Amino acid sequence: MRKLKLDELNRPSVEEFKKQDKLPVVVVLDNVRSLHNVGSAFRTADGFAVDSLYLCGITATPPHREIEKTALGATQSIDWKYFDKVADAVSDLKEKGYKIIAIEQAENSVSLLDFEPKHGEKFALFFGNEVNGVSEEVMQQIDSCIEIPQFGTKHSFNIVISTGIVLWDFFSKLNQ
């Protein structure tokens, strides 16, 4: 077996990417501290061709060397917005018809295994701070809460791992 070279992968250019159909998902980073996590979220969002990324509160924004270190240019392909207050991001997304979904461990959460995104709907997936998770301010306004099943001793996954797991699940379920 031979690994493919970059020019054999047939990836779209940034201009082509911006014109292609997107997964009806906005990834929202709610007060994410790590610039490497922010950059990796951009790269993961690009990989699944999500609609856009919303950065809120203390979440850093491009351009920044530490974000680019893990984004590897995805800050150029993914549309993004910054909101000083996460409540403003929630309002913006609700006005645009997005379902507000927290990715969090909470009472009455739905297992990712059981969650079925409906075709024709748009989803705003909120990923929270590395220590405190999704803010209570957001939790009071969500339409649903998804929990990723875990089977080990740790209490949570890294935010970027969670983003990848959830986006893969949405991508695979919406493209059946």
Side-chain angles (χ1 to χ4, degrees):
M1 186 170 293
R2 178 182 70 83
K3 289 177 22 177
L4 296 176
K5 295 180 179 158
L6 290 178
D7 62 348
E8 295 177 293
L9 295 176
N10 297 319
R11 298 290 188 248
S13 67
V14 171
E15 295 76 28
E16 292 167 333
F17 179 85
K18 290 202 176 268
K19 294 176 187 173
Q20 78 183 41
D21 289 338
K22 302 287 189 300
L23 193 65
V25 169
V26 172
V27 170
V28 184
L29 302 184
D30 178 7
N31 288 298
V32 171
R33 296 177 308 171
S34 165
L35 281 77
H36 292 152
N37 283 342
V38 175
S40 294
F42 268 97
R43 189 169 168 190
T44 304
D46 176 277
F48 289 107
V50 303
D51 181 69
S52 59
L53 199 63
Y54 280 21
L55 310 171
C56 303
I58 65 167
T59 306
T61 62
H64 196 288
R65 189 174 69 105
E66 293 301 310
I67 292 173
E68 288 303 328
K69 195 180 283 187
T70 51
L72 297 179
T75 57
Q76 308 307 309
S77 57
I78 292 293
D79 290 334
W80 62 274
K81 288 184 180 182
Y82 173 76
F83 293 86
D84 185 47
K85 297 178 182 172
V86 70
D88 293 340
V90 173
S91 295
D92 181 73
L93 290 159
K94 282 187 177 223
E95 285 174 18
K96 294 176 179 173
Y98 283 85
K99 298 285 182 194
I100 307 301
I101 301 173
I103 311 305
E104 187 60 83
Q105 298 165 341
E107 289 179 341
N108 301 313
S109 63
V110 177
S111 172
L112 182 60
L113 296 169
D114 299 326
F115 187 83
E116 289 297 328
K118 293 187 176 105
H119 290 275
E121 290 187 341
K122 300 184 297 185
F123 308 93
L125 304 177
F126 281 73
F127 296 88
N129 176 276
E130 293 89 342
V131 174
N132 300 315
V134 175
S135 63
E136 282 300 322
E137 188 174 16
V138 172
M139 293 300 289
Q140 300 307 312
Q141 300 183 66
I142 61 174
D143 296 306
S144 187
C145 183
I146 294 173
E147 186 170 339
I148 302 169
Q150 291 184 231
F151 309 99
T153 63
K154 295 296 149 200
H155 298 290
S156 64
F157 289 111
N158 173 278
I159 181 174
V160 177
I161 300 302
S162 296
T163 304
I165 291 168
V166 174
L167 287 179
W168 170 250
D169 188 75
F170 270 66
F171 181 85
S172 61
K173 288 174 179 175
L174 289 171
N175 286 296
Q176 291 180 356

Short mmCIF file of all heavy atoms in Angstrom, two decimals, residues 6-14 16 20 46:
data_model
loop_
_atom_site.label_atom_id
_atom_site.label_comp_id
_atom_site.label_asym_id
_atom_site.label_seq_id
_atom_site.Cartn_x
_atom_site.Cartn_y
_atom_site.Cartn_z
N LEU A 6 0.09 14.79 -1.34
CA LEU A 6 -0.88 15.88 -1.18
C LEU A 6 -1.60 16.22 -2.47
O LEU A 6 -2.82 16.43 -2.47
CB LEU A 6 -0.20 17.12 -0.60
CG LEU A 6 0.25 17.03 0.85
CD1 LEU A 6 0.94 18.32 1.28
CD2 LEU A 6 -0.92 16.71 1.76
N ASP A 7 -0.89 16.26 -3.59
CA ASP A 7 -1.53 16.62 -4.85
C ASP A 7 -2.43 15.52 -5.40
O ASP A 7 -3.18 15.73 -6.34
CB ASP A 7 -0.51 17.08 -5.90
CG ASP A 7 0.49 16.00 -6.27
OD1 ASP A 7 0.55 14.96 -5.58
OD2 ASP A 7 1.22 16.20 -7.26
N GLU A 8 -2.42 14.35 -4.79
CA GLU A 8 -3.29 13.25 -5.20
C GLU A 8 -4.60 13.22 -4.39
O GLU A 8 -5.49 12.42 -4.68
CB GLU A 8 -2.58 11.90 -5.02
CG GLU A 8 -1.39 11.72 -5.93
CD GLU A 8 -0.68 10.40 -5.65
OE1 GLU A 8 -0.10 10.25 -4.56
OE2 GLU A 8 -0.73 9.53 -6.54
N LEU A 9 -4.71 14.06 -3.38
CA LEU A 9 -5.88 14.03 -2.51
C LEU A 9 -7.10 14.74 -3.10
O LEU A 9 -8.21 14.61 -2.59
CB LEU A 9 -5.54 14.64 -1.14
CG LEU A 9 -4.50 13.87 -0.33
CD1 LEU A 9 -4.17 14.61 0.96
CD2 LEU A 9 -4.97 12.46 -0.03
N ASN A 10 -6.90 15.52 -4.14
CA ASN A 10 -8.00 16.22 -4.82
C ASN A 10 -8.83 17.09 -3.89
O ASN A 10 -10.05 17.10 -3.95
CB ASN A 10 -8.90 15.21 -5.56
CG ASN A 10 -8.15 14.48 -6.64
OD1 ASN A 10 -7.35 15.07 -7.36
ND2 ASN A 10 -8.39 13.19 -6.74
N ARG A 11 -8.17 17.81 -3.01
CA ARG A 11 -8.87 18.73 -2.11
C ARG A 11 -9.23 20.00 -2.87
O ARG A 11 -8.51 20.43 -3.76
CB ARG A 11 -8.00 19.08 -0.91
CG ARG A 11 -7.62 17.90 -0.05
CD ARG A 11 -8.83 17.35 0.71
NE ARG A 11 -8.42 16.35 1.66
CZ ARG A 11 -8.72 15.06 1.57
NH1 ARG A 11 -9.43 14.63 0.56
NH2 ARG A 11 -8.31 14.22 2.48
N PRO A 12 -10.37 20.62 -2.49
CA PRO A 12 -10.74 21.87 -3.15
C PRO A 12 -9.81 23.01 -2.73
O PRO A 12 -9.23 22.97 -1.64
CB PRO A 12 -12.17 22.12 -2.66
CG PRO A 12 -12.25 21.41 -1.35
CD PRO A 12 -11.34 20.22 -1.47
N SER A 13 -9.71 24.01 -3.57
CA SER A 13 -9.00 25.23 -3.18
C SER A 13 -9.88 25.97 -2.17
O SER A 13 -11.07 25.63 -1.99
CB SER A 13 -8.76 26.12 -4.40
OG SER A 13 -10.01 26.61 -4.88
N VAL A 14 -9.34 26.97 -1.51
CA VAL A 14 -10.13 27.76 -0.57
C VAL A 14 -11.33 28.37 -1.28
O VAL A 14 -12.45 28.36 -0.76
CB VAL A 14 -9.26 28.85 0.11
CG1 VAL A 14 -10.11 29.81 0.91
CG2 VAL A 14 -8.20 28.20 1.01
N GLU A 16 -12.89 27.26 -3.99
CA GLU A 16 -13.86 26.19 -4.29
C GLU A 16 -14.58 25.75 -3.03
O GLU A 16 -15.80 25.51 -3.03
CB GLU A 16 -13.14 24.98 -4.92
CG GLU A 16 -12.60 25.25 -6.30
CD GLU A 16 -11.61 24.18 -6.78
OE1 GLU A 16 -10.96 23.52 -5.92
OE2 GLU A 16 -11.50 24.02 -7.99
N GLN A 20 -18.76 25.44 -2.07
CA GLN A 20 -19.37 24.10 -2.01
C GLN A 20 -20.45 24.04 -0.93
O GLN A 20 -20.51 24.88 -0.03
CB GLN A 20 -18.32 23.03 -1.78
CG GLN A 20 -17.81 22.91 -0.35
CD GLN A 20 -16.70 21.88 -0.20
OE1 GLN A 20 -15.81 21.77 -1.05
NE2 GLN A 20 -16.72 21.14 0.89
N ASP A 46 -13.07 22.56 9.06
CA ASP A 46 -12.74 22.50 7.63
C ASP A 46 -12.88 21.06 7.12
O ASP A 46 -13.45 20.82 6.06
CB ASP A 46 -11.32 23.01 7.41
CG ASP A 46 -10.88 22.88 5.96
OD1 ASP A 46 -10.42 21.76 5.58
OD2 ASP A 46 -10.98 23.86 5.21
#
